[in-house]
Amino acid sequence: MSDRNQGYLLIILSAVFYSTLGILGKYIYNTGIEMSLVIVLRLFATVILLGLFLLITRKEPLLTFSRAVLFQGIFFIATAITFFLAVKYLSAGLATVILFAHPALVAVLAVIFYHEEIGAAQIVGLILALLGLFFISGLCIESSTALSPLGLILSVLSAVAYGIYALLGQRVVKTDGIWTITFTISLMGLVISALIFPHNLPALLSITPYQLFLGFAMAFLGTILPVVLFLKGVQKIGSSVGTLISIIEIPFALILAYLLLDEVLTPMQVVGTLLILIATTMAVAVKNQKENNERN
């Protein structure tokens, strides 16, 4: 398998594992745990698992103090916090649509900073992906209500933060090991979230074994694997195409929720899923054609 195809596969697998986060989150929220404690627990478990892995295998250094990685860590946790706050003021559907608009931002920034080319087909793919997210969110059938300006600002900030995080990923993988990057980002996230939600550190001592199990499952399946796979994929195909393909996480999450949680899959969500699949296929096809033309 070529490096390019490996990159596509890695990004898709990353999206599959990311899609488990919502399912596991649903299970853990049903135990009565606070959302802020879930953030701290997830990052705490991630640091424990990754730290043990790196200390035992000595595969890579535990930490990196690369300025780019440190900035990436800041934007990683900024995405989680701003999105967490945004859903207090907006519907989860609208907040999610705005967050997953980040591929358009990444595409523009990649042109500016990495001199990547963006063609008409890629623009069409982005539009189809955003339209698919709109259908999936259910916003097209919601009644017209006043939107919170603060919620909109927080959602846009979450999209911008994630876009910059993804863009920095294309740079940091050239200088530091992916496992080291992931541990450093996770540790930074844990420290920052602990400072923002200090009451949750003592609360970790009172969680149940089942909650602890779900926290470690979120860390392994919903954090470590998707982050590592995403960075490896971006290393091979670039951030603009990688982030566009990663939107396929939303259809995967819907399908898992339908299969595991008996949630309803509406016709609009099916249409949105098909649009995202078309956009993903276009992104792969355009990238393949471009690289084939360059070789010829």
Side-chain angles (χ1 to χ4, degrees), residues 6-66:
Q6 287 178 24
Y8 300 144
L9 179 60
L10 289 168
I11 296 292
I12 291 172
L13 287 174
S14 170
V16 171
F17 284 115
Y18 259 133
S19 68
T20 66
L21 199 56
I23 307 299
L24 294 168
K26 192 82 168 181
Y27 285 133
I28 199 168
Y29 291 142
N30 287 340
T31 67
I33 195 170
E34 290 184 12
M35 187 181 291
S36 58
L37 180 55
V38 172
I39 294 174
V40 174
L41 174 59
R42 173 190 169 197
L43 290 169
F44 171 77
T46 300
V47 168
I48 295 297
L49 290 175
L50 266 181
L52 288 174
F53 172 75
L54 288 173
L55 288 173
I56 292 170
T57 63
R58 299 189 181 275
K59 187 180 180 71
E60 293 175 11
L62 196 62
L63 288 169
T64 174
F65 295 98
S66 162

Side-chain angles (χ1 to χ4, degrees), residues 86-219:
V87 294
K88 286 187 173 183
Y89 302 99
L90 297 176
S91 69
L94 179 55
T96 301
V97 167
I98 296 174
L99 171 63
F100 277 89
H102 67 262
L105 174 67
V106 172
V108 173
L109 293 177
V111 171
I112 296 172
F113 293 104
Y114 296 150
H115 306 294
E116 290 187 12
E117 295 181 4
I118 180 169
Q122 193 170 348
I123 293 173
V124 172
L126 286 168
I127 293 172
L128 287 176
L130 294 175
L131 188 59
L133 288 169
F134 178 74
F135 282 127
I136 286 172
S137 70
L139 296 174
C140 51
I141 59 174
E142 287 184 359
S143 59
S144 178
T145 56
L147 298 177
S148 163
L150 178 58
L152 290 171
I153 291 171
L154 289 167
S155 292
V156 171
L157 287 176
S158 71
V160 171
Y162 191 85
I164 297 173
Y165 159 78
L167 195 71
L168 285 171
Q170 185 170 336
R171 177 181 175 183
V172 298
V173 291
K174 296 178 180 179
T175 57
D176 291 283
I178 288 173
W179 294 100
T180 302
I181 293 169
T182 306
F183 180 82
T184 303
I185 289 173
S186 300
L187 182 60
M188 286 184 63
L190 176 60
V191 172
I192 293 172
S193 59
L195 291 173
I196 295 174
F197 309 115
H199 65 283
N200 285 321
L201 285 180
L204 286 176
L205 299 175
S206 60
I207 60 175
T208 67
Y210 178 60
Q211 290 171 334
L212 188 64
F213 166 76
L214 289 174
F216 274 87
M218 292 174 70

